[in-house]
Amino acid sequence: MAASVDIAVLPRVEEPELSASDQRLAELGYKPSLSATCRFSACLGCQFCAIGILTGMSSAFQTGLFSGGPLGLFWGWNICSFFMLLIAMSLAEICSAYPTNGGLYYWVSRMKPDFAFIGFCTGWLYTVAMIFTGTSGNLSTALYIASLAEVGSGRTLTRVEIAAVAWGVNVFSGVINTVGTKAIGRMSAFNVWWTLGGTVVLVVTLLVKAPVLNSAEFVFTDFENFTGWESKGFVVLLGFLQAIYSLEGCETAAQVAEEATRAELLAPLGIVTSIIGSWLVGLAYMLALLYSVQSIPAIESTSLALPISQLFVDAVGTRLALLCLVVVGLAQGMAAATAFTASSRLLYALARDGAVPKCVRGQFMKLNNGQAPYVGVWVSVVLGCVISCAYIGSTVAFNAILSSAAVSVMLSYLQPIIIRVFWPSSMTERGPFHLGAWSWSINCASFLFTVLVCILFILPTAHPTNAQNMNYAVVAIGALLVLTVLAWVVWGRMHFHGPVRTIDADSGERIAPEEKEEDRKSASEKF
């Protein structure tokens, strides 16, 4: 005879209490599986690091200098910073309602669950953009190292040598990301202080050591045009690309939202605060550059790996130019690493929701002891190394690939903003960070500006246009969009139906993998 047990007398086992962030994640349908260790300083640092204001301003400074000159740079910076702040506010509002690592991809899928195609394309477009962005940043780091060699010893590195250095930087980014969230958080927090301190060093050095300081009239009104285009208005608009390139990356905190404490509040605050801080820091640095630039034609004709190196040499001499390059180059290396942080978390989120083929899905969801989705990290590193090989054969082809990354990021921003403009009621929930009555107006202004920027990014930047100065971003982004749509038609439409719950919100029980696969379509309807 079987023994009977009175369940009432058994000791009650208390379930561990979920934090507010984990509770919100469970309500969204996901079992908390990543360690929430990032505080506000780490979230802000991750954003600040991803934007890389010193590096973006330095690497793309010549773009604005040759397309509008000081006039275009100063006014373009302030205009673009204002609108990028509006975009950041739009994204922050959505992030506060849906704080998951899927970021832009999840937001789109959540707000338009009946149109899985948008979520699939946004997810993969943005993932590829982050891999391209990380590759671009790591190559820029290699170019800063090449500039150090040129300025310090007069030795010019070959393309093969620069590509080899870029491979090494790619691997270093992979190692940092593999160590885990804490390592990225600490590096990002350090980057905030490095950027602030570095800005002070750069500004003081440039203003004190420059042989001649330019007049305020030159800084605020001088117009330069090395593009060949006759329309001054169009030339100044082309100069906007420098500011946009420098300010992209404000949404990165969303990719580590599940690893942040109070993500529903800290992640959106990080998004907005990072743009405000970058606006001010970038403005101070830009004014120092404009007051200290000695010869714009000399920068235009320089043989150095990065044109900004020529400005440093002319303004402060060889020894201090090396100091300036070290400050900016180290900031560039840290900024590039966060792009692979984003791409690996995106691959994790896409795999979790079935947007990755089943044969490799489990690999992308593996976490190491540091809570890092290390397979996604090293896939990003390998792809970065492969893409860097294009630099050996053709800088034109490589620049086309990387230009498409900037367009892809802005196109990814555009998807959730479009939904908020044309389907304002699609976001049925509201987080602690919200825009209230201003929400639709801010989203509408963000939508119009993002469309303008996407058009500018694919227009020819020089006239007359030839094979060497053609803006091949339109070809690269077109190919990327075609491949993404093709992936949807061939595989995605049959296997991806939107975000899938990994936890039963009512019972708190995790759904088995086989149940997820069978019920994927019905689960998407719940959203």
Side-chain angles (χ1 to χ4, degrees):
M1 181 176 178
S4 62
V5 178
D6 187 353
I7 297 178
V9 302
L10 290 177
R12 184 175 179 182
V13 178
E14 295 291 336
E15 291 290 334
E17 202 171 309
L18 290 177
S19 66
S21 296
D22 286 347
Q23 180 61 41
R24 180 58 185 143
L25 191 60
E27 290 170 0
L28 293 174
Y30 292 132
K31 179 179 175 64
S33 56
L34 296 167
S35 178
T37 57
C38 289
R39 300 189 181 277
F40 180 68
S41 59
C43 285
L44 177 60
C46 191
Q47 299 282 100
F48 215 62
C49 196
I51 293 174
I53 195 63
L54 287 182
T55 61
M57 178 72 72
S58 300
S59 301
F61 185 73
Q62 70 277 1
T63 301
L65 195 62
F66 303 155
S67 301
L71 179 147
L73 276 168
F74 176 77
W75 296 108
W77 177 257
N78 288 289
I79 292 170
C80 291
S81 293
F82 173 75
F83 281 102
M84 288 300 286
L85 177 60
L86 296 185
I87 292 173
M89 293 169 69
S90 298
L91 299 180
E93 183 180 40
I94 307 173
C95 180
S96 184
Y98 309 121
T100 76
N101 280 7
L104 300 167
Y105 140 74
Y106 179 85
W107 305 341
V108 169
S109 298
R110 179 81 184 207
M111 291 189 292
K112 290 296 289 180
D114 55 332
F115 203 11
F117 168 72
I118 296 182
F120 182 88
C121 290
T122 301
W124 279 108
L125 186 67
Y126 188 57
T127 300
V128 172
M130 286 296 99
I131 294 174
F132 283 1
T133 300
T135 304
S136 170
N138 288 328
L139 179 73
S140 293
T141 305
L143 289 172
Y144 278 107
I145 294 173
S147 294
L148 283 168
E150 290 174 334
V151 174
S153 65
R155 184 178 184 277
T156 302
L157 271 64
T158 65
R159 286 188 191 174
V160 174
E161 290 172 324
I162 293 173
V165 173
W167 297 335
V169 180
N170 271 304
V171 171
F172 174 76
S173 296
V175 171
I176 290 292
N177 278 284
T178 302
V179 173
T181 306
K182 287 186 177 180
I184 291 295
R186 288 168 182 165
M187 182 195 73
S188 299
F190 169 75
N191 182 69
V192 173
W193 296 109
W194 181 265
T195 299
L196 294 176
T199 301
V200 172
V201 170
L202 290 169
V203 169
V204 171
T205 303
L206 289 168
L207 295 181
V208 170
K209 298 300 292 184
V212 178
L213 289 179
N214 297 307
S215 65
E217 182 182 5
F218 171 85
V219 170
F220 299 114
T221 65
D222 182 65
F223 175 79
E224 301 286 343
N225 182 8
F226 290 80
T227 67
W229 293 104
E230 295 182 0
S231 171
K232 289 185 177 180
F234 180 65
V235 170
V236 170
L237 284 176
L238 288 178
F240 279 17
L241 301 182
Q242 177 270 340
I244 300 301
Y245 177 80
S246 301
L247 290 166
E248 282 185 337
C250 69
E251 77 300 333
T252 305
Q255 267 62 68
V256 293
E258 294 175 36
E259 299 157 78
T261 57
R262 292 301 310 277
E264 67 279 4
L265 182 61
L266 298 189
L269 284 177
I271 291 173
V272 174
T273 306
S274 63
I275 288 293
I276 296 173
S278 297
W279 184 351
L280 298 176
V281 170
L283 182 60
Y285 180 41
M286 172 185 287
L287 288 174
L289 290 172
L290 292 178
Y291 272 107
S292 61
V293 62
Q294 301 299 297
S295 171
I296 295 177
I299 297 173
E300 196 272 338
S301 60
T302 186
S303 61
L304 296 176
L306 287 169
I308 194 70
S309 304
Q310 189 65 53
L311 187 154
F312 289 151
V313 171
D314 293 344
V316 300
T318 300
R319 294 182 63 183
L320 288 176
L322 292 173
L323 171 64
C324 295
L325 289 171
V326 168
V327 169
V328 180
L330 183 55
Q332 177 68 79
M334 290 187 283
T338 58
F340 287 167
T341 305
S343 63
S344 61
R345 269 62 177 179
L346 283 162
L347 288 168
Y348 171 89
L350 290 169
R352 181 173 60 184
D353 289 330
V356 173
K358 192 174 181 179
C359 58
V360 295
R361 191 175 303 158
Q363 298 300 313
F364 285 115
M365 293 180 65
K366 286 183 177 179
L367 303 176
N368 62 11
N369 293 334
Q371 294 291 295
Y374 61 95
V375 174
V377 170
W378 288 101
V379 166
S380 301
V381 170
V382 171
L383 289 174
C385 290
V386 171
I387 295 168
S388 297
C389 292
Y391 182 77
I392 300 173
S394 170
T395 56
V396 174
F398 184 79
N399 289 334
I401 294 172
L402 301 185
S403 296
S404 68
V407 187
S408 298
V409 171
M410 295 305 295
L411 284 175
S412 299
Y413 289 174
L414 189 60
Q415 307 313 309
I417 293 173
I418 284 177
I419 294 173
R420 294 291 288 127
V421 170
F422 295 100
W423 295 275
S425 61
S426 59
M427 196 172 80
T428 56
E429 299 160 273
R430 193 170 76 172
F433 181 96
H434 56 86
L435 303 175
W438 290 95
S439 181
W440 189 85
S441 299
I442 290 174
N443 279 292
C444 188
S446 300
F447 164 72
L448 294 174
F449 183 74
T450 306
V451 170
L452 171 65
V453 168
C454 287
I455 294 172
L456 287 175
F457 263 127
I458 61 175
L459 293 177
T461 56
H463 181 79
T465 304
N466 55 47
Q468 293 302 311
N469 62 27
M470 169 66 181
N471 183 0
Y472 289 99
V474 64
V475 178
I477 194 64
L480 183 56
L481 290 173
V482 168
L483 289 174
T484 304
V485 172
L486 187 62
W488 167 259
V489 172
V490 173
W491 182 85
R493 64 188 177 89
M494 295 176 286
H495 297 87
F496 177 75
H497 304 286
V500 176
R501 290 186 179 276
T502 61
I503 190 173
D504 190 315
D506 297 324
S507 66
E509 294 180 356
R510 188 174 182 180
I511 298 175
E514 59 272 16
E515 293 175 4
K516 287 192 287 181
E517 188 65 31
E518 292 171 3
D519 298 335
R520 186 175 305 281
K521 191 168 185 178
S522 61
S524 67
E525 293 170 358
K526 295 179 184 178
F527 285 101

